[in-house]
Amino acid sequence: MGLVHVDKGDAMVLVITIAAILSMTIGNLGALKQTEVKRLLAWSSIAHAGYILLALAVLFWIPTHILTFSMRYHDDYQRAGIPTFPSVYGNHVTQIIIAISSVIAAIMMIIAAYGIGLTFGYLRLMAVLSFGLLLLAVASAAKPSERTNFGLFKYASLYMLSAMMLLMLVAG
């Protein structure tokens, strides 16, 4: 029995659909606490925007993950005959795309945190974490190297984990 081929576009639609369903469900459950209809609708709208932006933050983190490993294991992909983004566009363009997607992910995460309703203190913490990601992204684009790029990947992974845990603890 062969493997089922799933188009990348279909996979992205599935991911976005699942994220949208979850954000709507969570936002509406939070809105149930409200007793006034106007407040309920306002809270629900803010929650939806926040959760959609959270999904976008994760979506923009994906290139950081995938492209970093495409670069790191470039030779293995070449031997297997699998075309990758770095083999088509080169490492420099790939590193710039990784840096840009990391910055956009950080911006989306801060906006999502604000939209979800994090208080100023937690927003400052998110800003500090995001600033670290921004510095690494700029360093990766300015002085591209495998080491800097992999450092950005590691920090971006820890950043997303920390940001998600912070949002779950505070907003939940």
Side-chain angles (χ1 to χ4, degrees):
M1 181 181 275
L3 295 174
V4 176
H5 174 71
V6 177
D7 183 56
K8 290 179 185 175
D10 292 340
M12 291 308 283
V13 169
L14 179 63
V15 168
I16 292 170
T17 302
I18 291 170
I21 290 169
L22 288 173
S23 68
M24 286 186 265
T25 302
I26 292 168
N28 287 328
L29 289 175
L32 287 175
K33 298 177 188 175
Q34 302 300 323
T35 57
E36 215 176 294
V37 174
K38 288 181 183 179
R39 290 185 68 153
L40 178 127
L41 292 174
W43 197 94
S44 180
S45 298
I46 291 170
H48 291 325
Y51 286 107
I52 289 171
L53 289 170
L54 187 60
L56 284 174
V58 172
L59 183 66
F60 279 105
W61 176 81
I62 291 171
T64 301
H65 178 79
I66 292 172
L67 295 178
T68 297
F69 280 100
S70 293
M71 287 175 59
R72 189 166 182 94
Y73 299 107
H74 180 265
D75 294 337
D76 294 335
Y77 285 122
Q78 288 296 328
R79 280 193 296 275
I82 300 171
T84 60
F85 194 90
S87 65
V88 174
Y89 297 102
N91 282 346
H92 184 69
V93 171
T94 304
Q95 288 169 327
I96 290 172
I97 296 296
I98 290 169
I100 290 170
S101 68
S102 296
V103 169
I104 293 173
I107 291 168
M108 290 293 127
M109 189 62 79
I110 289 173
I111 295 171
Y114 177 77
I116 290 171
L118 258 60
T119 61
F120 183 70
Y122 291 112
L123 285 174
R124 281 188 304 181
L125 179 59
M126 290 288 290
V128 168
L129 291 172
S130 299
F131 186 71
L133 187 61
L134 176 65
L135 285 177
L136 276 170
V138 168
S140 178
K143 187 178 176 188
S145 73
E146 186 177 329
R147 183 173 185 224
T148 308
N149 192 58
F150 202 63
L152 173 62
F153 164 74
K154 288 180 192 177
Y155 186 86
S157 298
L158 290 173
Y159 169 81
M160 290 302 283
L161 175 66
S162 301
M164 293 294 185
M165 288 178 65
L166 180 66
L167 290 173
M168 285 179 10
L169 291 172
V170 177

